Amino acid sequence: MKFAAIDIGSNGARMQISSVLHDEGVVRLKKVEYVRFPLRLGHDVFTEGRISALSEDRMMKLMLAYQLLMELHEIEDYMACSTSAMREASNGHEVREHIEQRTGIHIQIIDGQKEAELVNNVVVKSLGEGQYIHIDVGGGSTELNVYQDRRKIAAKSFKLGSVRLLEGKESKTSWIKIKEWIQDHVDFNQEIQAVGTGGNINKLFDLSSKLTESSTSIEEIERMRDYISGFSLEERINKLQLNPDRADVIVPAGDIYTSAMKWAGAKIMHVPDVGLKDGMLQLLYDRSCRKKKV
């Protein structure tokens, strides 16, 4: 049994196909195919307000490739979601309709709340007892969630993301709003730890020194962010071997992660390497199980 998740973000679009494994009563979703392409829809939307004809053409070709891969893998079900760039594009729904007509792939344009819900469904499995702040930084938005003993007690989506920062299109009050929200919803009388999701924190974590297999310190994240910022874009690509669409956004993304951690008083960051696609895959599996019970 295989499922496919397509996540169309402001920076890149990715598809993951996973198979369901059963091992002594434990169910696991094993990645069998992963394809990511730097569509960079946020560049169009955050500067011009719409998806350009060139970007739509590239997106169409990518969805055709995804459709063929899903057919080859003989998947049981799929889910395709787009986030801030397409939901803010004046022609986002029009582009979605064109793609569905040609490829048969139905894309759901989801809001920040739904995006956070899908990510949280898999993030919560990595949490322990106590207070946590979950920071999910995308190209166009940042989702913040506060947990107490694995129970979500507050959530908010902000129009501040790595691509939006890179293009200089963030609201002047976005940083203030994030800081004030954290101050209003974090209990500063108890310790708090951070959980980070998103491609940029995964890369910063890979490059940083680790405290454990899945955690590092805020000092390490800051050190690696500052180290990368000391290189030119060309040097980041050639010397550090970062993908071009990662090389320019990783520093502004690092600023968001570290700022949120500082405002919350979190010194430790856990990086479970899960995201929207994993939440979609979990939903597809759960939906399949419910259907079989009917």
Side-chain angles (χ1 to χ4, degrees):
M1 185 189 306
K2 294 179 184 177
F3 299 104
I6 299 173
D7 169 13
I8 304 165
S10 302
N11 193 29
R14 54 197 64 78
M15 180 185 72
Q16 181 170 316
I17 296 175
S18 292
S19 61
V20 179
L21 302 180
H22 298 271
D23 181 20
E24 298 180 353
V26 177
V27 177
R28 291 191 299 114
L29 292 169
K30 181 180 182 297
K31 179 169 62 178
V32 295
E33 187 79 67
Y34 179 77
V35 181
R36 182 184 183 279
F37 186 81
L39 278 177
R40 217 55 179 276
L41 296 180
H43 173 74
D44 291 345
V45 178
F46 303 146
T47 56
E48 303 297 331
R50 59 184 287 112
I51 297 169
S52 68
L54 176 60
S55 291
E56 180 179 350
D57 182 61
R58 282 154 49 94
M59 188 174 174
M60 183 73 75
K61 290 175 180 175
L62 183 62
M63 293 304 114
L64 284 168
Y66 285 172
Q67 190 274 332
L68 287 172
L69 280 171
M70 289 192 290
E71 188 176 312
L72 286 168
H73 278 279
E74 299 179 339
I75 64 161
E76 178 171 313
D77 200 1
Y78 80 93
M79 187 175 184
C81 292
S82 59
T83 53
S84 58
M86 279 194 77
R87 67 179 173 244
E88 291 182 36
S90 61
N91 60 340
H93 290 275
E94 180 183 339
V95 169
R96 178 182 68 174
E97 289 174 7
H98 291 166
I99 289 171
E100 185 167 359
Q101 288 170 2
R102 186 168 175 192
T103 68
I105 295 176
H106 174 68
I107 299 171
Q108 300 179 44
I109 301 177
I110 60 174
D111 59 22
Q113 182 177 349
K114 181 63 176 179
E115 182 180 354
E117 177 188 322
L118 287 166
V119 178
N120 292 341
N121 287 341
V122 286
V123 166
V124 71
K125 296 177 181 180
S126 67
L127 304 182
E129 297 295 318
Q131 185 178 211
Y132 289 83
I133 181 167
H134 170 215
I135 309 162
D136 182 62
V137 179
S141 65
T142 292
E143 275 66 49
L144 297 180
N145 305 275
V146 176
Y147 286 88
Q148 181 65 51
D149 300 330
R150 299 190 184 90
R151 182 175 64 88
K152 184 167 67 174
I153 59 174
K156 181 74 173 179
S157 179
F158 298 88
K159 284 188 177 182
L160 185 70
S162 58
V163 177
R164 204 186 293 270
L165 273 177
L166 185 68
E167 302 292 346
K169 298 300 179 180
E170 80 279 9
S171 166
K172 293 180 180 179
T173 61
S174 294
W175 292 102
I176 297 173
K177 289 179 179 178
I178 289 178
K179 183 178 182 180
E180 290 179 344
W181 186 88
I182 289 172
Q183 291 173 338
D184 288 341
H185 293 90
V186 166
D187 180 359
F188 291 96
N189 293 316
Q190 63 171 308
E191 182 182 346
I192 187 170
Q193 298 181 63
V195 179
T197 53
N200 288 298
I201 194 61
N202 288 338
K203 178 54 67 174
L204 285 166
F205 179 72
D206 287 343
L207 297 171
S208 300
S209 297
K210 316 292 192 295
L211 292 172
T212 69
E213 187 177 318
S214 60
S215 68
T216 188
S217 66
I218 185 173
E219 290 83 9
E220 261 304 296
I221 298 172
E222 289 180 314
R223 185 187 69 80
M224 188 49 60
R225 177 205 60 192
D226 293 344
Y227 174 72
I228 294 172
S229 68
F231 291 87
S232 67
L233 180 60
E234 184 179 353
E235 288 172 333
R236 295 179 197 178
I237 295 169
N238 294 303
K239 290 186 177 181
L240 302 183
Q241 299 182 35
L242 296 176
N243 291 333
D245 67 309
R246 181 72 64 211
D248 57 355
V249 297
I250 192 168
V251 172
D255 290 338
I256 300 175
Y257 285 110
T258 54
S259 294
M261 287 182 74
K262 285 180 179 178
W263 292 330
K267 298 178 181 179
I268 303 298
M269 168 74 86
H270 298 273
V271 187
D273 193 20
V274 295
L276 179 58
K277 59 180 174 50
D278 302 280
M280 287 190 278
L281 289 165
Q282 185 64 53
L283 185 149
L284 289 168
Y285 172 72
D286 293 342
R287 187 163 67 188
S288 174
C289 290
R290 287 195 298 270
K291 286 180 181 178
K292 289 177 181 178
K293 289 180 180 179
V294 175

